[in-house]
Amino acid sequence: MFAEYAKSVWDGVVGQPRAVQQLTRSAAAPVHAYLFVGPAGSTKHEAARAFAALLLTGHDDPDARDARLALAGEHPDVREVERTGARISKDQVSEIIRNASMAPIEGSRKVMLLHEFHLLEADGAARLLKTIEEPPASAVFIVLADQVPPELVTVASRCVRIEFSTIPEATIRDVLIAEGATPAAAGQAAAAAAGNLTRARVLATDPGLMARREAFATVPQRLDGTGSNVVALCTELNALIDAAAAPLAARQEEEASALEARVAAVGERGSGRKQLEERHKRELRRHRVDELRSGLGVMAGAYRDALVQQRAARPDAAVHAVQRIHQALDALERNPNETLLLQALLLDLPTI
């Protein structure tokens, strides 16, 4: 269908052979809208850019100018939309519709790449539906979502759905080793990342990973049922999470400095300052949620191990603890105050 090249636009997509096969076939005769569904770190973002490159160029050469720009998120005919608040509002959807109605800048096709649409508000979904059903002839929509909540069901029904799965631990380990991580660091990061390659790449260079996992794993043994104990544990765990953000903060500071240099050279207009600041906030928020999710998973494992090894003084309480931790994990999807969530959880957990 497409000529073979030494490299491919799909090289950044990991562990998703079925999705790549579906999209490669579809690129020959694309429809108006696609929905990429899968967990964070499953490389659906990379797949969206790769598919956009294929739609614009008609071939699989990542070094072609249009493909290179699309893969870097810089092509003028690939419009990437990130949420600007806690959720995607109807006002932001109105801006998406306006951009979709405009003619392509360079070619005959425009690709609208919409991120995190599992956070779409209901009234925004209603407004987007008509455009998804009857898009401009030149527009192709690629909608990305971690899951399909009720607000997205009707929009999803108008799209071709492409499923992305959690990446196997062994695959992540192999990728990290290929990228230069030691086998030991790659194994630890892959085990802690829960199928999220993006997070695994961060963890592979994180010297505090094992200390954080140990801190969460020992929480059930250090609980004593008092509020002061819970506050102390939450303070300790939050400090470890904040320390783990240091590499991310350093990278963000470099990006902010580079932006200031561009503004000094060519002016503020079109600098993308607001977009950069919003992205940095999202990244830090994602970091905290990922760290807390990983730590709570380790904590649940400690209770399960106590049950299996018959170390739990009250097995029913340990079972309840695992259930309660999973409820907290579900609650993280609703953007809670992480500290309050953690404090309420620890107050409700037994010691082992």
Side-chain angles (χ1 to χ4, degrees):
M1 184 180 299
F2 294 99
E4 293 187 5
Y5 295 86
K7 295 188 290 183
S8 168
V9 296
W10 302 110
D11 286 346
V13 182
V14 176
Q16 311 295 341
R18 185 167 178 236
V20 169
Q21 185 180 51
Q22 287 177 290
L23 292 168
T24 301
R25 286 200 307 263
S26 185
V31 298
H32 64 285
Y34 296 83
L35 175 65
F36 290 12
V37 182
S42 59
T43 65
K44 65 180 183 289
H45 170 83
E46 291 83 352
R49 286 185 172 180
F51 188 47
L54 208 56
L55 291 175
L56 292 181
T57 64
H59 55 72
D60 192 23
D61 180 7
D63 292 326
R65 182 257 184 190
D66 285 339
R68 190 174 66 253
L69 290 176
L71 292 170
E74 298 174 354
H75 197 288
D77 287 335
V78 180
R79 187 59 182 264
E80 298 200 24
V81 179
E82 303 272 6
R83 62 184 169 92
T84 57
R87 297 184 65 83
I88 298 167
S89 68
K90 64 179 181 179
D91 291 337
Q92 190 171 6
V93 169
S94 295
E95 182 65 12
I96 291 168
I97 294 170
R98 187 188 71 82
N99 279 305
S101 68
M102 299 173 67
I105 295 173
E106 292 189 353
S108 60
R109 178 175 286 154
K110 168 182 284 189
V111 180
M112 299 294 297
L113 208 166
L114 314 181
H115 294 277
E116 292 188 296
F117 261 59
H118 54 283
L119 298 174
L120 178 64
E121 291 183 344
D123 51 1
R127 184 166 293 191
L128 181 63
L129 181 60
K130 183 173 177 58
T131 301
I132 290 286
E133 289 179 324
E134 301 175 10
S138 61
V140 174
F141 284 85
I142 304 176
V143 182
L144 279 68
D146 290 0
Q147 63 273 335
V148 180
E151 295 83 359
L152 195 57
V153 167
T154 306
V155 171
S157 69
R158 285 14 179 220
C159 303
V160 171
R161 181 163 172 159
I162 307 294
E163 296 282 352
F164 288 77
S165 58
T166 300
I167 303 174
E169 182 178 319
T171 301
I172 291 179
R173 184 182 63 247
D174 291 345
V175 169
L176 296 177
I177 291 172
E179 292 175 349
T182 66
Q188 292 171 355
N196 184 330
L197 179 59
T198 304
R199 177 163 169 74
R201 284 173 167 144
V202 174
L203 294 177
T205 56
D206 182 356
L209 170 60
M210 296 311 297
R212 288 197 308 282
R213 288 175 67 82
E214 179 67 16
F216 275 96
T218 58
V219 163
Q221 295 151 26
R222 293 189 283 159
L223 290 168
D224 65 9
T226 66
S228 59
N229 170 254
V230 165
V231 169
L233 287 171
C234 288
T235 300
E236 173 192 336
L237 297 175
N238 279 326
L240 290 170
I241 290 173
D242 290 341
L248 173 61
R251 192 259 293 163
Q252 290 183 344
E253 187 174 343
E254 290 176 1
E255 291 178 348
S257 297
L259 172 67
E260 294 299 339
R262 289 198 303 272
V263 168
V266 300
E268 184 73 38
R269 185 175 181 180
S271 65
R273 182 187 298 278
K274 182 178 179 181
Q275 292 88 337
L276 182 68
E277 291 173 349
E278 291 291 343
R279 177 165 65 81
H280 284 176
K281 290 178 184 177
R282 287 193 301 272
E283 287 175 344
L284 286 170
R285 164 71 181 162
R286 172 68 73 175
H287 161 80
R288 290 195 61 82
V289 170
D290 285 346
E291 283 291 333
L292 191 52
R293 189 179 298 280
S294 176
L296 293 182
V298 170
M299 198 186 303
Y303 282 106
R304 284 193 293 267
D305 289 345
L307 282 167
V308 171
Q309 298 165 12
Q310 299 183 339
R311 291 186 289 104
R314 292 178 51 209
D316 59 329
V319 170
H320 170 75
V322 174
Q323 295 170 340
R324 184 67 180 80
I325 290 170
H326 282 282
Q327 290 171 1
L329 287 168
D330 290 339
L332 284 173
E333 297 294 339
R334 298 189 288 273
N335 290 323
N337 180 301
E338 294 97 343
T339 298
L340 293 179
L341 180 145
L342 187 58
Q343 288 176 349
L345 173 64
L346 297 190
L347 282 169
D348 198 28
L349 296 181
T351 188
I352 56 173

